């Protein structure tokens, strides 16, 4: 007797002798077209939402009509995004259903049922269902897996990578189709957009709502992903990250400390005042009476321009502006910026909890917190004085603000938040870590950082060496 043919070989022979019908060929063609539509939609999503101002100008120069329509789409990004998402979802579902239909035509339920029965028996499972039902279930699972693979590869990954590299070209060719789809589906898309807005309002009003849709870490990661990695965009990323932290920065973190403030005594002679003005190069100088805790006002150097030839006994005190803004150390710089704008001032005196003067803060200090150091023709020396020994070793003055230390060495400005206490300077951090005045040469470690006191006197820590362990 001849042995029974192997069931898998028998099934394979049935497949091989089956000639694809017109319905199968048409179905495969439809799947290809739908995948192409899904690919265009995915590419459009990336291209539209990654365009920058220069890109819009370039498109308008090349084709004004396309540029005008693109700007109209930009004005309603919520509706545009909804249109792309709804269209992509419809197309993807259609691909899966059509894939399943083609598979059902290509493979009969009996063949799929035999496969399912063999799989169940070989794996030791017993399914209480008919062969036909098992075949249909297996066919749908195969269709789902196959369609998902095709969608992810050809309708998601490939087009999105291409669109990121050719965003202007993709946006130009997809403006007209997206404008047509948005017009065609306006009633449905409008209803969905209104419904999502209502849901968002309800969620925002919920008692458990935190008031924010994303954490700072999420936004920080989004900045890294969305901003181009070209060399000329590093400053843009720094500005965006600085704006993200802007609302949490206090005056004490950016102020000029009392020991570094250039100020004049109200009893000083006119020649002494002019000498201070020439040496400092500042446009505004605080004036105090006997002690810096008793600030009499602010002298604007421009007010001296008409009196440069006056004698030493000139009464320059009459030029002092007594409208002084006093702010606490804990005031947020975002609030101080609004106060500067409201009162049209550029300088404020920072006071501590006891009313003593801690230092001064200017509008320039606030702006530098966002856009980085601002240099003019009088800034001969760097604002942050440090010595870079190598990529892992730096020497800073003790009075250097912690924010500036972190920026220079390239670490997050909140690295020492858990141990710095109320300290804002590098020396203050060391005092918080030790709890006492250190001696010269003393070494302290914190996490991956190693500190060594380079110079210290009886009253203050002058210079500190920071060493960053590899991998930080």
């Amino acid at each position: 007797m001849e042995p029974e043919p192997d069931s898998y070989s028998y099934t394979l022979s049935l497949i091989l002798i089956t000639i694809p019908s017109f319905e199968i060929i048409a179905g495969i063609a439809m799947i290809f077209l739908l995948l192409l539509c899904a690919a265009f939609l995915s590419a459009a999503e990336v291209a539209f939402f990654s365009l920058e101002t220069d890109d819009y100008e370039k498109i308008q120069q090349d084709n004004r009509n396309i540029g005008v329509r693109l700007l109209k789409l930009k004005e309603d990004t919520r509706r545009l995004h909804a249109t792309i998402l709804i269209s992509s979802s419809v197309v993807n579902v259609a691909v899966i259903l059509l894939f399943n239909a083609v598979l059902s035509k290509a493979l009969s339920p009996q063949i799929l049922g035999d496969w399912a029965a063999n799989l169940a028996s070989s794996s030791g499972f017993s399914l209480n269902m008919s062969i036909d039902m098992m075949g249909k279930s297996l066919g749908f699972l195969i269709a789902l897996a196959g369609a998902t693979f095709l969608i992810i590869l050809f309708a998601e990954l490939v087009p999105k990578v291409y669109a990121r590299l050719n965003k202007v070209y993709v946006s130009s060719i997809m403006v007209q189709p997206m404008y047509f789809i948005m017009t065609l589906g306006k009633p449905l898309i409008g209803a969905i957009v209104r419904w999502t807005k209502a849901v968002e309002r309800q969620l925002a009003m919920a008692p458990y709502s935190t008031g924010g849709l994303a954490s700072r870490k999420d936004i920080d990661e989004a900045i890294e992903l969305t901003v181009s990695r070209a060399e000329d965009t590093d400053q843009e990323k720094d500005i965006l990250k600085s704006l993200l932290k802007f609302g949490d920065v206090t005056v004490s973190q950016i102020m000029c400390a009392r020991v570094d403030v250039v100020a004049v005594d109200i009893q000083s002679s006119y020649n002494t005042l002019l000498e201070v003005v020439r040496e400092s190069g500042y446009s505004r100088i605080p004036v105090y009476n006997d002690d810096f805790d008793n600030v009499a006002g602010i002298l604007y150097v421009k007010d001296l321009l008409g009196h440069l030839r006056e004698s030493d006994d000139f009464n320059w005190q009459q030029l002092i502006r007594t409208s002084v803004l006093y702010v606490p150390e804990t005031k947020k710089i975002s609030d101080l910026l609004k106060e500067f704008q409201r009162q049209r001032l550029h300088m404020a005196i920072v006071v501590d909890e006891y009313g003593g003067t801690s230092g001064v803060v200017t509008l320039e200090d606030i702006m530098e917190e966002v856009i980085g150091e601002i240099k003019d023709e009088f800034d001969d020396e760097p604002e942050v004085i440090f010595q870079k020994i190598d990529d892992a070793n730096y020497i800073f003055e003790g009075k250097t603000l912690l924010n500036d230390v972190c920026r220079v060495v390239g670490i997050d400005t909140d690295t020492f938040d858990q141990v710095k206490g109320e300290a804002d300077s590098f020396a203050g951090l060391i005092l918080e870590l030790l709890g006492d005045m250190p001696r010269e040469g003393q070494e302290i470690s914190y996490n991956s950082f190693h500190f060594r006191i380079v110079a210290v006197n009886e009253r203050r820590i002058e210079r500190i060496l920071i060493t960053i362990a590899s991998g930080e």
Side-chain angles (χ1 to χ4, degrees):
M1 292 180 62
E2 294 182 352
E4 289 188 10
D6 182 77
S7 59
Y8 288 107
S9 302
Y10 175 72
T11 301
L12 183 60
S13 64
L14 289 176
I15 297 173
L16 293 175
I17 63 174
T18 301
I19 300 175
S21 64
F22 174 76
E23 292 179 348
I24 295 175
I25 296 174
I28 293 174
M30 284 296 297
I31 290 174
F32 175 78
L33 289 175
L34 289 173
L35 286 173
L36 193 63
C37 291
F40 277 116
L41 290 169
S42 296
E45 180 181 7
V46 172
F48 285 141
F49 291 100
S50 60
L51 287 177
E52 299 175 359
T53 305
D54 294 341
D55 298 324
Y56 284 105
E57 294 177 356
K58 182 179 179 181
I59 293 173
Q60 275 199 311
Q61 291 174 358
D62 295 340
N63 191 317
R64 181 170 178 79
N65 292 332
I66 290 179
V68 170
R69 290 206 165 183
L70 188 59
L71 288 174
K72 288 184 178 179
L73 294 179
K74 180 187 176 183
E75 291 173 357
D76 196 354
T77 54
R78 183 186 288 266
R79 190 181 297 272
L80 173 62
H81 201 195
T83 302
I84 294 174
L85 291 179
I86 293 170
S87 303
S88 297
S89 300
V90 171
V91 172
N92 291 341
V93 170
V95 169
I96 294 174
L97 294 178
L98 195 57
F99 200 99
N100 185 48
V102 170
L103 191 65
S104 299
K105 290 289 184 181
L107 301 175
S108 66
Q110 182 64 36
I111 295 175
L112 292 172
D114 291 342
W115 283 4
N118 288 330
L119 287 173
S121 61
S122 62
S123 59
F125 289 106
S126 59
L127 300 175
N128 296 323
M129 60 177 67
S130 63
I131 297 295
D132 185 60
M133 182 60 68
M134 285 194 294
K136 289 181 179 179
S137 300
L138 180 61
F140 180 76
L141 291 176
I142 295 174
L144 182 62
T148 301
F149 172 77
L150 293 176
I151 290 170
I152 292 175
L153 182 60
F154 297 109
E156 290 290 333
L157 295 179
V158 174
K160 286 185 175 181
V161 171
Y162 179 81
R164 182 172 292 278
L165 299 175
N166 303 274
K167 55 186 177 182
V168 173
Y169 174 70
V170 174
S171 300
S172 300
I173 64 173
M174 287 301 296
V175 167
Q176 303 288 12
M178 289 311 305
Y179 199 82
F180 174 75
I181 295 173
M182 286 182 68
T183 304
L184 188 66
K186 187 174 182 179
L188 175 62
I189 295 170
I192 292 175
V193 169
R194 288 191 296 272
W195 179 77
T196 54
K197 285 182 179 179
V199 172
E200 286 181 7
R201 284 195 297 269
Q202 292 297 321
L203 291 175
M205 294 168 57
Y208 50 81
S209 174
T210 59
L213 297 179
S215 66
R216 176 181 295 177
K217 184 179 179 182
D218 294 335
I219 300 175
D220 196 61
E221 291 176 353
I223 292 172
E224 289 286 348
L225 290 173
T226 55
V227 177
S228 172
R229 296 183 179 179
E231 292 182 2
D232 58 351
T233 59
D234 289 341
Q235 187 178 12
E236 294 179 16
K237 280 197 289 189
D238 291 339
I239 291 175
L240 289 172
K241 290 183 178 182
S242 297
L243 287 172
L244 186 61
K245 300 175 182 177
F246 187 73
D248 294 331
V249 180
T250 61
V251 168
S252 63
Q253 293 176 276
I254 67 167
M255 71 178 185
C256 178
R258 174 175 179 151
V259 293
D260 298 317
V261 173
V262 175
V264 293
D265 193 325
I266 198 170
Q267 304 298 330
S268 300
S269 65
Y270 187 51
N271 287 338
T272 302
L273 171 67
L274 292 179
E275 186 65 25
V276 172
V277 170
R278 277 192 292 267
E279 289 181 356
S280 67
Y282 294 136
S283 60
R284 295 169 181 83
I285 298 179
V287 180
Y288 61 87
N289 192 355
D290 293 332
D291 186 83
F292 195 40
D293 286 329
N294 185 18
V295 177
I298 307 293
L299 178 67
Y300 285 48
V301 173
K302 67 178 182 179
D303 295 337
L304 298 174
L305 294 177
H307 308 281
L308 295 179
R309 298 185 182 275
E310 300 289 347
S311 61
D312 191 40
D313 59 354
F314 172 64
N315 184 23
W316 61 271
Q317 290 81 358
Q318 63 182 331
L319 303 176
I320 298 173
R321 304 196 186 193
T322 57
S323 56
V324 180
L325 175 62
Y326 294 93
V327 296
E329 295 176 333
T330 55
K331 190 179 186 72
K332 303 295 185 183
I333 62 173
S334 55
D335 296 331
L336 178 60
L337 177 59
K338 294 176 184 176
E339 201 155 349
F340 275 156
Q341 292 174 318
R342 186 169 56 253
Q343 299 192 28
R344 298 183 180 181
L345 296 174
H346 284 240
M347 176 181 284
I349 304 298
V350 184
V351 295
D352 59 24
E353 57 183 319
Y354 303 106
T357 303
S358 299
V360 298
V361 62
T362 65
L363 181 61
E364 183 178 325
D365 294 327
I366 296 177
M367 301 308 297
E368 286 180 343
E369 188 62 25
V370 177
I371 63 176
E373 186 176 350
I374 301 173
K375 280 186 172 290
D376 58 30
E377 62 272 23
F378 301 108
D379 291 334
D380 296 327
E381 295 184 356
E383 188 171 333
V384 181
I385 300 175
F386 67 95
Q387 177 185 353
K388 181 178 179 180
I389 301 173
D390 54 43
D391 290 339
N393 294 275
Y394 299 78
I395 295 178
F396 289 91
E397 292 188 348
K399 65 182 181 181
T400 307
L401 294 176
L402 273 177
N403 279 10
D404 292 332
V405 173
C406 293
R407 277 195 285 265
V408 169
V409 303
I411 58 178
D412 292 336
T413 54
D414 57 358
T415 301
F416 303 108
D417 282 358
Q418 294 183 351
V419 293
K420 74 173 186 176
E422 299 297 323
D424 296 305
S425 67
F426 200 2
L429 171 65
I430 298 298
L431 293 174
E432 287 287 340
L433 290 172
L434 284 178
D436 197 3
M437 182 66 73
R439 65 183 182 278
E440 187 171 320
Q442 187 169 351
E443 299 183 356
I444 310 104
S445 294
Y446 170 71
N447 288 347
S448 300
F449 304 94
H450 189 76
F451 310 106
R452 185 165 64 85
I453 309 303
V454 178
V456 64
N457 58 33
E458 294 83 1
R459 298 179 56 187
R460 60 192 294 187
I461 303 171
E462 295 181 346
R463 288 189 298 159
I464 307 165
L465 168 68
I466 177 174
T467 301
I468 308 170
S470 59
E472 177 60 33

